[in-house]
Amino acid sequence: MDSLGLEIAGLTYDFGKGPVLKDVGFSVGPGRFAVLLGPNGAGKTTLISLITRLYDSRTGHIRVAGHDVKRQSGRALARIGVVFQQSTLDLDLTVRQNLNYHAALHGLGRAEAGERIEQELGRFEMLERAGEKVRSLNGGHRRRVEIARALLHRPDFLLLDEPTVGLDVPSRRAIVAHVHQLAREGGIAVLWATHLIDEIFDGDDVIVLHKGEIVAQGSVDEVNRAAGTAGIADSFDKLTGGARE
């Protein structure tokens, strides 16, 4: 495993009523776009909460950029860019103010922060909206701002939890394509959690999570072969008993 990505091994977690995650293990290398694919209730959000230290795991380990999330929390979390399912932007601040606040939290000086904000907003074609309050933006534009914000501190690993939920199809397609490009050209390890089949590209790595267990993982072709089907949609249905939604 290259130390610039994500590594998870032997991860088990429960809330006291039986395990929510059972012996989960996988890795995401630099420049790879990995899809954490599972129906609602599969354990995706719990796993993301463990990676980001919202929950504390007792069994197994998680490493980001070679740093153990439990024992080296500060170093590990500093290398993660996160886009949560629920928006965390301040609606009453402008786009630029939201990003400046995030940059300050990561210790970026004003000049450097300004340069990076210009670059990331330009990348997402949002530079002209920098002075607008977030409240005035539609859902797709807010998501672009959140991803731009997650990239400001130059993370090694980008983590996105159902980032396109509630967006229209053109917005979803544009954001999915853009993050694929980020992984490919920027060398960032990406873990994209979703239950939507059309967000998977042929070259992606896929981790199928069902009832807290990984039931298949590998390339799209490898998952299809493991399921004995011709397409990833059929594979997902077969591996999860049709629990796609």
Side-chain angles (χ1 to χ4, degrees):
M1 169 64 189
D2 194 305
S3 64
L4 295 182
L6 170 73
E7 180 184 18
I8 297 175
L11 191 64
T12 297
Y13 188 80
D14 70 73
F15 291 107
K17 298 181 179 179
V20 178
L21 296 173
K22 308 168 191 174
D23 195 27
V24 169
F26 63 91
S27 62
V28 185
R32 298 302 302 167
F33 189 105
V35 180
L36 181 62
L37 182 64
N40 293 328
K44 300 190 301 296
T45 298
T46 298
L47 178 56
I48 287 169
S49 296
L50 289 165
I51 295 171
T52 55
R53 288 283 285 166
L54 294 176
Y55 297 159
D56 185 21
S57 62
R58 297 182 180 87
T59 305
H61 72 255
I62 303 169
R63 293 192 180 97
V64 176
H67 302 297
D68 186 277
V69 167
K70 181 182 291 187
R71 293 184 290 109
Q72 301 168 299
S73 297
R75 291 182 179 181
L77 295 176
R79 305 315 312 149
I80 303 176
V82 186
V83 178
F84 290 107
Q85 185 172 342
Q86 299 297 322
S87 177
T88 57
L89 295 170
D90 189 320
L91 299 180
D92 293 317
L93 295 181
T94 67
V95 169
R96 190 181 299 278
Q97 287 171 332
N98 269 278
L99 270 58
N100 270 320
Y101 180 69
H102 180 84
L105 290 177
H106 282 274
L108 297 178
R110 181 172 297 182
E112 185 178 17
E115 291 177 2
R116 292 191 184 186
I117 288 169
E118 295 280 319
Q119 179 182 1
E120 296 303 335
L121 289 181
R123 191 203 303 261
F124 283 92
E125 299 180 350
M126 290 294 295
L127 195 53
E128 293 183 357
R129 313 294 295 271
E132 297 181 26
K133 288 188 176 182
V134 170
R135 188 178 299 280
S136 69
L137 305 179
N138 64 31
H141 287 157
R142 291 182 190 182
R143 277 308 192 199
R144 293 185 187 195
V145 172
E146 288 191 285
I147 299 171
R149 180 183 63 178
L151 294 168
L152 283 180
H153 61 291
R154 302 290 190 266
D156 297 304
F157 170 52
L158 184 61
L159 177 62
L160 307 100
D161 183 12
E162 300 273 7
T164 63
V165 167
L167 301 185
D168 58 75
V169 172
S171 294
R172 285 205 303 113
R173 289 176 176 168
I175 289 172
V176 173
H178 202 96
V179 178
H180 274 87
Q181 183 179 5
L182 284 173
R184 184 173 62 251
E185 297 179 358
I188 301 172
V190 174
L191 182 62
W192 178 286
T194 188
H195 64 279
L196 301 172
I197 295 296
D198 65 351
E199 295 182 351
I200 303 171
F201 287 17
D202 285 340
D204 292 343
D205 301 319
V206 180
I207 303 110
V208 183
L209 189 68
H210 182 49
K211 295 182 178 180
E213 297 183 86
I214 293 178
V215 293
Q217 64 175 306
S219 67
V220 173
D221 287 342
E222 288 170 339
V223 170
N224 289 340
R225 284 198 297 271
T229 65
I232 193 65
D234 290 337
S235 294
F236 187 31
D237 286 341
K238 184 173 180 179
L239 290 165
T240 62
R244 191 181 301 185
E245 295 299 330

